[in-house]
Amino acid sequence: MLARSPPTTVPLSVPGKAPQNPPFPHPSPYTRVGISPPQPGSSANTSAVPSLTSGSYAGSTGGDSDSSHGGASGIDLVELMNDRLSNAVDPLPLDRSLARQAQTSGALNAKQKELQELQALAQRRLKGARSNFSEGMKAAKEVRKDLDWTQKHVS
């Protein structure tokens, strides 16, 4: 058997990549918002939320079953957040802008349809005008021929 020699390699020059700009810092889609519990006497609706300064929430070691799990007894955080957000966001301007957008969209659609109808009418009129013009040109040529023939025979 013949012994094979390892294949030889030829160095190739590979064009380098163009230096890339560092990526832009993208803002996080979620931001942390510090929310403090409502203060006593504030106008926040706290009737559905128990006092946040109760013994189990304040870190007492009174032997509550919830304190061993690290949670406050009877506090529904989803409900609390929902109440806070529903009081923070006024949907009336959003509803108004949505209604205005729908009205504007309808008006634009009506104008677009009207423009298409006017364009079709203009195209039909142009076609008729071209037809009339070509018939007029034929008639003018016939008149020219008749005048030439008449002028030849009269002279």
Side-chain angles (χ1 to χ4, degrees):
M1 276 180 82
L2 293 173
R4 292 190 167 204
S5 62
T8 59
T9 59
V10 177
L12 295 175
S13 64
V14 177
K17 291 184 179 178
Q20 296 179 350
N21 294 334
F24 291 106
H26 295 289
S28 174
Y30 303 103
T31 58
R32 292 184 180 251
V33 177
I35 298 176
S36 62
Q39 299 299 321
S42 70
S43 63
N45 182 8
T46 59
S47 62
V49 180
S51 172
L52 296 177
T53 58
S54 66
S56 64
Y57 183 78
S60 69
T61 57
D64 290 338
S65 62
D66 287 339
S67 65
S68 64
H69 298 293
S73 65
I75 295 178
D76 186 6
L77 293 179
V78 174
E79 185 177 337
L80 175 67
M81 292 301 295
N82 190 18
D83 288 344
R84 292 260 177 137
L85 287 176
S86 67
N87 291 335
V89 176
D90 185 16
L92 191 59
L94 297 175
D95 292 343
R96 286 181 183 158
S97 65
L98 184 62
R100 182 177 297 144
Q101 181 183 6
Q103 289 172 349
T104 305
S105 177
L108 284 174
N109 286 339
K111 286 293 182 184
Q112 179 70 23
K113 187 175 181 179
E114 182 181 352
L115 284 174
Q116 287 174 344
E117 290 171 357
L118 289 173
Q119 186 179 16
L121 176 64
Q123 287 176 349
R124 286 192 303 270
R125 286 183 178 176
L126 180 62
K127 186 178 178 181
R130 284 182 177 165
S131 174
N132 289 341
F133 180 75
S134 68
E135 289 177 12
M137 288 300 293
K138 286 179 186 177
K141 287 179 184 178
E142 286 180 19
V143 168
R144 173 69 66 177
K145 282 183 187 178
D146 290 344
L147 284 175
D148 287 344
W149 183 84
T150 306
Q151 195 170 22
K152 284 182 186 177
H153 288 353
V154 169
S155 333

